Amino acid sequence: MAMTFDQLAAYLDQLEGTRSRNELVRILSELYGAAALEELEPVTYLIQGRLAPFFVPVEIGLGERLLVTAVAMAYERPKEEVAASARSLGDLGLAAQAVAHEVTGDAPAVVEVHRQLSEIAAQSGTGSQTSKLERFSRLMSDLGPAAAKHLVRITMGKMRLGIGDPTVLDALSIAQQGDRSLRPVLEGAYNRTSDLGLIARTLRAAGVEALDELKVTVGKPLRAQLAERLPNPEAVIKKLGLVGVQPKYDGLRVQIHRHDGEVSIFSRNLETMTDMFPELVEAARRLPVENVILDGEAIAYDPASEEYVPFQETTSRRRKEGIAEAAAAAPLRAFVFDIMFRDGTDLTPLPYEQRFQVVDRLLAGGDTLVPAPLTKTDSVEVLTRELLDYISQGLEGVVVKRLDSPYQAGARNFNWVKLKRHTSGELSDTIDVVLLGYYRGKGKRAEFGAGALLAGVYDSDRDEFVSISKLGTGLSDEGWREIHQRANPLEVAEKPARVNSVLVPDTWLRPEVVVEVLADEITPSPRHTAGRSGDQPGFALRFPRIVSVRSLDKRPEDATSVREIREMYQQQRQRQVRG
Ligand code: ATP
């Protein structure tokens, strides 16, 4: 018997209702257990409020106003009534639920609803709006109340059950095997393809072994290789020996795919951003290859001042209007530092030195896609000189790479090490935290509704956000206002399931806003859950200052992880012992 969309909605209600991450995994694994093979992909995308994997930009194309009309049409109510009810309930999904009827007879299957929504999304051109509206309201009127609610939320892009990708992987493992033991294999496949639906289907259809066959594919972004930290050039050479040293550009990570003449560009968090980079698309089209995947950092260059434009300005180009103007005033270039695929061959297993040679040859002579310079050395002096040299050129520092390392999608390890310098002079690094809640302030701060913020980091093993600090200082009024604007819509009545905290703020937030902070020190703390296990205390930040609000390139799961905090803590202790 096919799973109906109403049955899926009952699971979504359960997921919405739980405060515990283990429960999320349990309910999801039950849902997966109940789904048939051909339902796995639609279910996987729908539980994350989507119709396709994250990197495929599908929009159903019915905004809030049209949805109000659709609800009114479906249940033969006046539009004003629906709009008023949405206002008073604070959610059009709840308004739809309130007027929907229980269905009798043949309820639409999940697969059918997914197919219809995909077809509605694909409709475009004149008259498409009316036809989208009619199809959508007909579909909705066949659904029960809970299903109507979730259908509206999915369409508005507002279904946030807070199910992280690792939670889905755990649930798949349990559904298939009864425990979490498949997680590493699943994670490997996910790192190469970024497509959870495909993974769910492959696992069920052909078993665990088949996951190894899910290879790097042009058109599907790989999860980015990331860099570890070490305190200084000495530590780098001691740990890695002979290395390749490259400047660390402060731009936007871009993964450039070219496939049959088509170019797609993905951001660090795997979003499709092709339209933002016309110059890069053009340059990638001209490359003498059948197909290719490149990794690099895009940065705008001001020909007048002969300077690179900083991150914030580079990203402002992402606002669609003005791309052509921005491209003319400060053309973009991408410093390409890696290649993962070329002409049908997966290059990720090759040592970095060889991959870089391919990049160098392929891009020779280009001035939009440029190979990042690479200096080979095993000398502390040379590395120090390179670091200071690049810093004096206004760059962030260097990224040091092991010449014999493969490209490990999704890994943060010592294949790559970043060295940066802060204005204070000492080497250190900022930490990206996720806002978990507000404490109400007194006086001026209370005006903006926040006296302090509860902030956490990401525990990637458990797919949980764990608290590490309260943030109170370091922001201008303007800065507070910005944070407040971002965080306000994320207020929730109860602690979200994936948040693990002993401290209870006045108001909880859905963990979405990532903020960059600089702290003096990491200290052990019994009050915080970051890194806490058994009778081991957690970690806290001493004197944290907010440096910036990271808006565009980081998902909450891209925040600093507990593992990184633990390593930073150990490095800090080594420095203290030596100092
Ligand atoms: P940060 O906040 O320090 O930029 P991050 O968490 O965004 O860190 P890291 O892995 O810490 O990412 O640092 C690597 C990032 O530096 C890459 O994601 C990339 O965007 C950027 N980068 C700039 N130049 C290079 C380079 N030559 N090689 C690799 N990455 C580079």
Side-chain angles (χ1 to χ4, degrees):
M1 261 264 290
M3 182 185 286
T4 64
F5 193 79
D6 289 85
Q7 285 168 330
L8 175 65
Y11 283 106
L12 296 177
D13 271 352
Q14 282 187 51
L15 291 164
E16 193 184 346
T18 180
R19 299 282 147 254
S20 133
R21 198 254 167 186
N22 282 338
E23 270 294 285
L24 278 184
V25 175
R26 190 194 59 75
I27 299 161
L28 265 184
S29 65
E30 211 178 289
L31 166 58
Y32 275 117
L37 180 64
E38 65 282 3
E39 291 161 350
L40 291 171
E41 277 170 292
V43 162
T44 302
Y45 305 133
L46 288 167
I47 55 174
Q48 296 198 316
R50 310 185 52 82
L51 299 178
F54 190 72
F55 57 86
V56 181
V58 194
E59 295 277 343
I60 297 173
L62 290 171
E64 182 154 3
R65 196 176 48 82
L66 288 171
L67 278 174
V68 168
T69 310
V71 174
M73 279 164 69
Y75 306 110
E76 297 172 355
R77 296 297 180 109
K79 262 196 273 186
E80 298 67 35
E81 180 193 315
V82 175
S85 156
R87 264 195 310 276
S88 76
L89 295 168
D91 171 11
L92 182 57
L94 289 175
Q97 183 174 30
V99 287
H101 334 281
E102 290 300 336
V103 279
T104 47
D106 287 348
V110 168
V111 172
E112 174 63 16
V113 172
H114 179 265
R115 190 179 59 79
Q116 292 221 29
L117 288 176
S118 305
E119 284 173 12
I120 294 172
Q123 287 184 312
S124 61
T126 42
S128 66
Q129 215 177 59
T130 317
S131 141
K132 275 177 194 262
L133 202 56
E134 278 166 7
R135 281 192 71 172
F136 186 88
S137 66
R138 226 177 305 130
L139 176 62
M140 185 156 55
S141 64
D142 289 340
L143 300 175
K149 173 183 73 180
H150 291 295
L151 187 77
V152 166
R153 287 184 181 164
I154 290 169
T155 306
M156 292 177 79
K158 284 201 174 153
M159 208 194 57
R160 301 205 187 92
L161 298 173
I163 301 171
D165 297 344
T167 298
V168 175
L169 296 178
D170 272 347
L172 284 173
S173 175
I174 290 171
Q176 180 83 5
Q177 187 92 349
D179 58 29
R180 293 175 203 229
S181 60
L182 299 182
R183 169 93 177 260
V185 193
L186 288 162
E187 221 159 59
Y190 176 61
N191 288 338
R192 295 188 297 276
T193 63
S194 308
D195 187 343
L196 289 171
L198 174 71
I199 289 168
R201 189 187 167 87
T202 307
L203 177 64
R204 176 77 64 83
V208 188
E209 296 73 32
L211 292 175
D212 289 331
E213 298 307 310
L214 291 179
K215 299 284 189 219
V216 173
T217 312
V218 188
K220 288 184 194 286
L222 300 66
R223 303 233 299 144
Q225 160 100 47
L226 298 170
E228 268 289 355
R229 302 172 177 81
L230 281 173
N232 51 41
E234 290 78 11
V236 171
I237 298 296
K238 187 162 165 232
K239 186 157 180 101
L240 307 183
L242 181 66
V243 290
V245 187
Q246 288 178 332
K248 187 172 196 296
Y249 300 99
D250 187 14
L252 276 181
R253 184 87 179 251
V254 283
Q255 198 178 102
I256 305 170
H257 289 231
R258 192 180 114 191
H259 184 35
D260 301 331
E262 281 283 305
V263 176
S264 307
I265 300 185
F266 303 103
S267 66
R268 182 191 192 284
N269 63 13
L270 312 181
E271 227 176 304
T272 302
M273 308 206 310
T274 315
D275 295 347
M276 300 300 125
F277 299 119
E279 310 94 314
L280 303 188
V281 171
E282 195 44 46
R285 269 213 190 100
R286 288 198 301 264
L287 292 176
V289 286
E290 281 288 305
N291 45 48
V292 76
I293 305 178
L294 300 172
D295 197 356
E297 187 87 352
I299 187 160
Y301 180 73
D302 180 351
S305 64
E306 296 185 8
E307 276 175 356
Y308 291 107
V309 180
F311 177 76
Q312 295 295 344
E313 281 167 59
T314 308
T315 52
S316 70
R317 291 164 50 105
R318 291 190 41 150
R319 275 182 251 116
K320 256 191 168 166
E321 54 283 348
I323 289 177
E325 291 79 352
L332 208 69
R333 65 177 45 156
F335 286 96
V336 175
F337 43 73
D338 224 311
I339 184 164
M340 293 84 109
F341 194 88
R342 177 179 179 170
D343 294 340
T345 309
D346 177 2
L347 303 183
T348 57
L350 289 186
Y352 183 57
E353 191 161 20
Q354 284 183 34
R355 296 200 309 278
F356 188 75
Q357 269 173 14
V358 180
V359 171
D360 222 16
R361 272 189 233 127
L362 180 63
L363 303 183
D367 64 357
T368 299
L369 298 178
V370 188
L374 181 90
T375 310
K376 284 185 223 169
T377 185
D378 60 359
S379 140
V380 174
E381 289 69 41
V382 175
L383 175 54
T384 309
R385 196 187 63 214
E386 293 282 305
L387 173 64
L388 295 177
D389 204 30
Y390 286 127
I391 287 171
S392 72
Q393 292 174 36
L395 298 175
E396 255 194 310
V398 295
V399 183
V400 180
K401 298 176 179 175
R402 272 183 62 156
L403 294 168
D404 60 356
S405 61
Y407 190 97
Q408 284 180 284
R412 191 187 289 278
N413 57 29
F414 289 96
N415 289 346
W416 294 11
V417 175
K418 56 182 170 177
L419 281 175
K420 294 199 244 181
R421 193 166 86 155
H422 270 289
T423 39
S424 59
E426 94 271 28
L427 282 164
S428 67
D429 199 5
T430 55
I431 292 166
D432 291 325
V433 296
V434 183
L435 301 186
L436 306 178
Y438 288 132
Y439 290 92
R440 263 187 297 280
K442 296 191 186 73
K444 193 164 71 158
R445 289 259 165 82
E447 232 179 88
F448 313 122
L453 297 153
L454 181 64
V457 289
Y458 183 55
D459 184 334
S460 50
D461 294 334
R462 299 190 38 84
D463 190 21
E464 273 183 350
F465 297 95
V466 282
S467 85
I468 191 160
S469 189
K470 279 194 193 177
L471 303 175
T473 52
L475 267 196
S476 61
D477 290 354
E478 178 58 32
W480 275 115
R481 225 172 271 130
E482 185 190 341
I483 289 203
H484 206 50
Q485 251 172 18
R486 295 276 316 280
N488 251 355
L490 304 176
E491 287 181 13
V492 282
E494 285 178 80
K495 182 186 79 59
R498 281 198 301 160
V499 172
N500 174 357
S501 170
V502 182
L503 298 179
V504 178
D506 294 324
T507 310
W508 290 105
L509 295 172
R510 256 201 308 266
E512 283 184 23
V513 180
V514 179
V515 167
E516 186 183 10
V517 301
L518 193 59
D520 278 8
E521 230 185 347
I522 297 169
T523 54
S525 159
R527 300 193 319 149
H528 286 289
T529 43
R532 200 169 72 155
S533 73
D535 48 11
Q536 287 275 340
F539 293 112
L541 302 181
R542 196 167 133 86
F543 299 134
R545 283 92 68 195
I546 297 178
V547 180
S548 73
V549 182
R550 312 233 8 179
S551 44
L552 298 165
D553 62 334
K554 295 229 166 164
R555 287 201 269 172
E557 293 83 3
D558 296 322
T560 303
S561 66
V562 168
R563 195 174 61 88
E564 287 175 83
I565 295 288
R566 189 171 288 120
E567 272 165 18
M568 290 169 90
Y569 177 68
Q570 274 151 9
Q571 289 182 13
Q572 168 194 304
R573 290 218 341 202
Q574 282 162 14
R575 272 202 303 276
Q576 284 163 348
V577 170
R578 268 193 279 124

